[in-house]
Amino acid sequence: MTEPQQQDDPSNDSRATGPESSDAPLHRRGIKSYVLRAGRMTVAQTRGLEEVWPRLGLTLADGRQDLDALFGRSAPRVVEIGFGMGASLVEQAETHPDTDFIGIEVHAPGVGKLLDEVDKRGLSNIRVYREDALAVLEQCLPPASLTTLQLFFPDPWPKKKHHKRRIVQPAFVELVRTRLMEGGSLHMATDWEAYAEWMAEVMDAAPGYINAAAAETAPYVPRPDFRPLTKFEARGERLGHGVWDLIYRRAD
């Protein structure tokens, strides 16, 4: 979920700031798309990390996953990168018990909150990584294994000098494509119009994807009913803020 940040200042950087080429190093090795922030942990969040993590938490050290073995069944698989405090992901898992979900989030309070809530609701169709999402995709998730990858309200890094930190880059969407099954979807949403335009530029240039939007709304789609409306988004709607959803499907 995005946080209030300053608007772009042209004086920040005079260099070109468009998306990187598709052959750029995936991580820009050392450049992250997120910043770790310290935060106070509630009792519930601490419980989630201490008591529930051993059962539902995953790490890079676990290696490449056999997802059928991990969940004990064969089912549609959805990965969400950057689930924040987890309310949307928990709602999806509870609403769709026939689907398995993997959440990736680096911030401890959000991971703890989600795990505590998952345990209280008795959900068995969620697993969680507290790791860099790119490393998880590269090292842990099998090729052609995902039905959907969700990226909702990633940090827009609005200053021009920070655009290189945006997670949506050609190398990232190519990695995602390899992890989606044929016909699988990359679903992104943002409340920053400039980032929505950036996402569309990257995706329209990416090979092996088809835009799912109708011609009259392309490149965007109306907010799908299956994407829960967060409190953050509802507040933005009341204030007249826009939200842009983009869905692209793997074509090959």
Side-chain angles (χ1 to χ4, degrees):
M1 185 176 294
T2 60
E3 297 181 359
Q5 300 193 36
Q6 294 178 347
Q7 296 288 339
D8 285 3
D9 179 353
S11 67
N12 285 330
D13 199 338
S14 60
R15 294 170 296 178
T17 57
E20 298 176 332
S21 65
S22 59
D23 59 354
L26 183 61
H27 289 269
R28 290 291 299 263
R29 305 304 171 184
I31 296 178
K32 301 293 187 182
S33 62
Y34 58 86
V35 173
L36 285 173
R37 301 177 179 89
R40 298 179 63 181
M41 299 284 292
T42 67
V43 172
Q45 291 165 0
T46 300
R47 174 186 173 273
L49 289 176
E50 293 182 352
E51 299 181 18
V52 188
W53 173 267
R55 179 162 49 89
L56 301 180
L58 301 168
T59 70
L60 296 180
D62 296 325
R64 184 62 57 86
Q65 295 289 342
D66 178 334
L67 297 183
D68 286 356
L70 179 66
F71 288 98
R73 64 178 182 177
S74 178
R77 302 271 154 68
V78 176
V79 168
E80 182 166 334
I81 294 176
F83 57 74
M85 299 307 287
S88 171
L89 187 56
V90 169
E91 181 178 339
Q92 291 177 76
E94 188 168 46
T95 304
H96 302 284
D98 57 341
T99 298
D100 295 328
F101 294 84
I102 296 174
I104 308 173
E105 175 60 63
V106 295
H107 298 290
V111 173
K113 173 64 175 174
L114 176 135
L115 289 171
D116 178 68
E117 195 64 32
V118 165
D119 187 59
K120 288 177 178 176
R121 300 190 189 197
L123 303 179
S124 61
N125 59 334
I126 291 187
R127 300 294 186 273
V128 180
Y129 281 96
R130 188 186 170 197
E131 304 277 7
D132 183 293
L134 299 180
V136 173
L137 290 173
E138 285 183 310
Q139 301 174 33
C140 303
L141 300 181
S145 62
L146 306 180
T147 307
T148 303
L149 188 137
Q150 300 176 163
L151 182 67
F152 297 156
F153 306 101
D155 194 323
W157 292 104
K159 292 183 179 180
K160 289 182 178 180
K161 66 181 180 180
H162 291 154
H163 284 184
K164 61 183 176 291
R165 292 185 176 272
R166 289 175 168 175
I167 190 172
V168 179
Q169 302 283 352
F172 167 74
V173 301
E174 171 57 20
L175 174 60
V176 170
R177 189 188 68 83
T178 67
R179 274 28 185 185
L180 292 173
M181 62 181 59
E182 187 170 348
S185 298
L186 170 55
H187 181 186
M188 299 177 287
T190 180
D191 57 332
W192 285 76
E193 186 172 12
Y195 198 10
E197 293 169 351
W198 170 291
M199 291 173 172
E201 178 183 348
V202 171
M203 295 305 302
D204 289 344
Y209 280 102
I210 297 174
N211 191 336
E216 59 269 22
T217 64
Y220 310 115
V221 300
R223 185 183 73 84
D225 292 339
F226 55 79
R227 180 171 70 76
L229 183 67
T230 66
K231 292 181 180 179
F232 169 84
E233 187 179 354
R235 178 179 178 274
E237 285 190 350
R238 291 195 298 271
L239 296 174
H241 298 170
V243 171
W244 292 266
D245 281 80
L246 303 93
I247 297 178
Y248 287 77
R249 295 195 172 94
R250 177 175 175 172
D252 58 17

